[in-house]
Amino acid sequence: QLHKMDGLWIQLKTYADVKGRVTAVFRDGNVEVLLGGGVDTVIVPSECVMTDDIASSLALAAMYLEEGFSAAAMIFIVRLLAEHAFDVVAMLKIADFLINLNELQEAEKVLRAALRLDPSVASENHLKALCSLAEVKRRLESYDEAICLCEKVLQHEFGPEYSSSATALMCLCKVYHSLGE
């Protein structure tokens, strides 16, 4: 069954000079690509698709999800993780995507890997990973752990100009609300 999508421009890995726009995704993970500016389309495996950046890759994964193809989306996400295994920023974006999908155990694994890659407790990415992990723990109802993670963030960064401290405070509010406090 064919599912038409709004245009996401990609490049085919096998042909560096071939560019096209994704017009459909399929349950089996294949994508239909409208080549160049023309009328010809080709159906290729998603492994042959190369996007410009992680945001475009996540947009393609979202296309699978919007069509209800969660298995194909997760296969795509696993491949993205392998391709960006040492890119903390990409891992944080993938983790946020997984959190939005409610794939909390997978998000936790990605976040813990990001924390191992960036162990500096004062770095912005480390603090963002702690905030996201606190949100995962809150959703999993591991409230004590969520509180500890938020407190770690607040120990290293506090003030209205810091986005991580604001995120940590929001998470703390949600935790205490869930606990009825």
Side-chain angles (χ1 to χ4, degrees):
Q1 185 178 4
L2 184 65
H3 296 278
K4 295 291 179 185
M5 299 286 120
D6 288 332
L8 173 68
W9 286 91
I10 54 89
Q11 181 173 331
L12 299 180
K13 284 184 181 178
T14 50
Y15 304 101
D17 59 339
V18 176
K19 294 190 179 201
R21 185 171 47 88
V22 174
T23 57
V25 294
F26 301 94
R27 183 174 305 283
D28 61 5
N30 289 339
V31 296
E32 180 185 58
V33 177
L34 178 65
L35 298 175
V39 294
D40 294 330
T41 62
V42 62
I43 295 176
V44 297
S46 62
E47 299 88 50
C48 293
V49 172
M50 184 172 64
T51 58
D52 291 335
D53 54 27
I54 189 72
S56 296
S57 296
L58 290 174
L60 183 56
M63 291 170 80
Y64 284 111
L65 288 172
E66 289 167 9
E67 293 302 316
F69 305 152
S70 56
M74 287 308 294
I75 289 169
F76 195 74
I77 292 295
V78 167
R79 198 172 81 241
L80 278 177
L81 282 170
E83 291 173 2
H84 298 281
F86 299 103
D87 182 346
V88 175
V89 173
M91 292 175 83
L92 292 175
K93 290 178 182 180
I94 292 168
D96 285 343
F97 188 82
L98 290 167
I99 291 168
N100 289 334
L101 292 178
N102 213 32
E103 293 286 343
L104 301 177
Q105 285 80 15
E106 289 302 313
E108 181 176 359
K109 289 177 192 175
V110 172
L111 290 165
R112 293 205 182 273
L115 287 167
R116 284 191 300 275
L117 284 175
D118 186 1
S120 173
V121 293
S123 82
E124 182 181 349
N125 290 329
H126 188 89
L127 295 171
K128 285 180 180 179
L130 287 175
C131 287
S132 294
L133 188 55
E135 177 61 17
V136 166
K137 290 302 183 179
R138 182 192 71 78
R139 290 186 184 194
L140 291 171
E141 298 180 357
S142 298
Y143 298 124
D144 289 339
E145 194 170 351
I147 291 169
C148 287
L149 291 164
C150 290
E151 287 174 348
K152 280 184 184 180
V153 172
L154 295 173
Q155 286 173 358
H156 295 285
E157 179 184 85
F158 189 78
E161 67 276 11
Y162 297 109
S163 64
S164 293
S165 62
T167 303
L169 288 170
M170 287 291 292
C171 186
L172 279 174
C173 288
K174 291 177 184 176
V175 168
Y176 287 126
H177 177 74
S178 297
L179 293 171
E181 297 178 23

